[in-house]
């Protein structure tokens, strides 16, 4: 029941920022159980979804991708190197900003079966204010630049300037 409430909260947020979540039956072979990205949509098979927090991480991939490339995700036209290591770092940090915005427990997204056994490390760093990758989100104009942070503490990360990468 609690997962259903959290999933609903996530989906409402994602649709509010322009990321569509579509329910559809998926094959067993998806990279994440019950979850994939097609074009600029997150496709979820709730019967196979193992970790609902993965929805936010996959949304992060969409969010940090340029608008021109978002519609190519999941197609042969998307560059084979996507997501890059930079994209991955930005998506992980975006996920933390989103879960903070939604008041979700970090363990909901950074579960022990993901993140190459580094979940605890991410949680420890992010919850203590060590935001590796923040300059990348700032460069993408998604998180406020340092001069804005100094002017107004309320704008400091994990607050976001833009939830989707602007062009």
């Amino acid at each position: 029941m609690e997962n259903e409430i959290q999933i609903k909260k996530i989906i409402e947020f994602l649709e509010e920022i322009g990321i569509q979540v579509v329910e559809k039956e998926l094959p067993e072979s998806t990279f994440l159980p019950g979850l994939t990205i097609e074009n600029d949509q997150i496709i979820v098979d709730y019967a196979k979804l193992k970790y609902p927090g993965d929805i936010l991480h996959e949304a992060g991939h969409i969010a940090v991708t340029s608008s021109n490339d978002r519609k190519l995700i999941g197609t042969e036209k998307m560059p084979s190197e996507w997501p890059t290591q930079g994209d991955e770092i930005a998506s992980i940090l975006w996920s933390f900003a989103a879960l903070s915005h939604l008041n979700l427990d970090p363990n909901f997204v950074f579960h022990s079966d993901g993140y190459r056994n580094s979940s605890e490390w991410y949680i420890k760093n992010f919850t203590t204010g060590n935001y590796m990758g923040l300059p990348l989100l700032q460069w993408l104009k998604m998180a406020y630049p340092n001069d804005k942070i100094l002017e107004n503490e309320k704008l400091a990360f994990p607050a976001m300037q833009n939830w989707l990468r602007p062009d």
Side-chain angles (χ1 to χ4, degrees), residues 64-92:
V64 303
T65 300
S66 70
S67 62
N68 288 336
D69 286 344
R70 278 184 211 130
K71 58 185 172 264
L72 303 178
I73 297 173
T75 72
E76 291 179 11
K77 293 179 182 179
M78 190 64 173
S80 60
E81 63 274 3
W82 185 89
T84 65
Q85 288 182 342
D87 294 330
E88 190 64 39
I89 291 168
S91 299
I92 289 170

Side-chain angles (χ1 to χ4, degrees), residues 2-21 35 42 44 46 49 51-60 94-95 98-105 108-109:
E2 186 177 340
N3 273 352
E4 290 174 19
I5 294 168
Q6 293 169 326
I7 290 170
K8 182 179 179 192
K9 193 177 196 180
I10 289 169
I11 291 170
E12 287 173 356
F13 165 71
L14 293 178
E15 291 182 350
E16 182 180 300
I17 66 168
I19 297 175
Q20 194 173 20
V21 179
L35 192 61
I42 296 175
V44 182
Y46 291 104
L49 183 64
Y51 301 106
D54 287 346
I55 296 170
L56 268 186
H57 179 74
E58 293 307 296
W94 185 96
S95 301
L99 72 85
S100 297
H101 177 76
L102 296 170
N103 294 315
L104 296 174
D105 185 312
F108 184 72
V109 173

Side-chain angles (χ1 to χ4, degrees), residues 10-11 23 28 32 43 48 63 68 73 84 118 123:
I10 289 169
I11 291 170
E23 184 175 359
E28 298 290 335
L32 295 171
I43 311 299
K48 294 178 180 127
N68 288 336
I73 297 173
T84 65
S118 296
I123 292 169

Side-chain angles (χ1 to χ4, degrees), residues 22-62:
V22 176
E23 184 175 359
K24 181 175 150 182
E25 187 173 339
L26 291 170
E28 298 290 335
S29 62
T30 56
F31 179 71
L32 295 171
L35 192 61
T36 194
I37 304 175
E38 290 178 6
N39 304 314
D40 55 357
Q41 299 176 334
I42 296 175
I43 311 299
V44 182
D45 184 337
Y46 291 104
K48 294 178 180 127
L49 183 64
K50 190 168 181 181
Y51 301 106
D54 287 346
I55 296 170
L56 268 186
H57 179 74
E58 293 307 296
H61 281 295
I62 293 171

Side-chain angles (χ1 to χ4, degrees), residues 135-153:
L136 179 56
L137 284 182
Q138 291 171 333
W139 179 75
L140 294 172
K141 295 183 175 39
M142 296 180 77
Y144 290 100
N146 290 337
D147 60 339
K148 294 288 184 189
I149 292 170
L150 295 174
E151 289 174 22
N152 184 345
E153 231 176 271

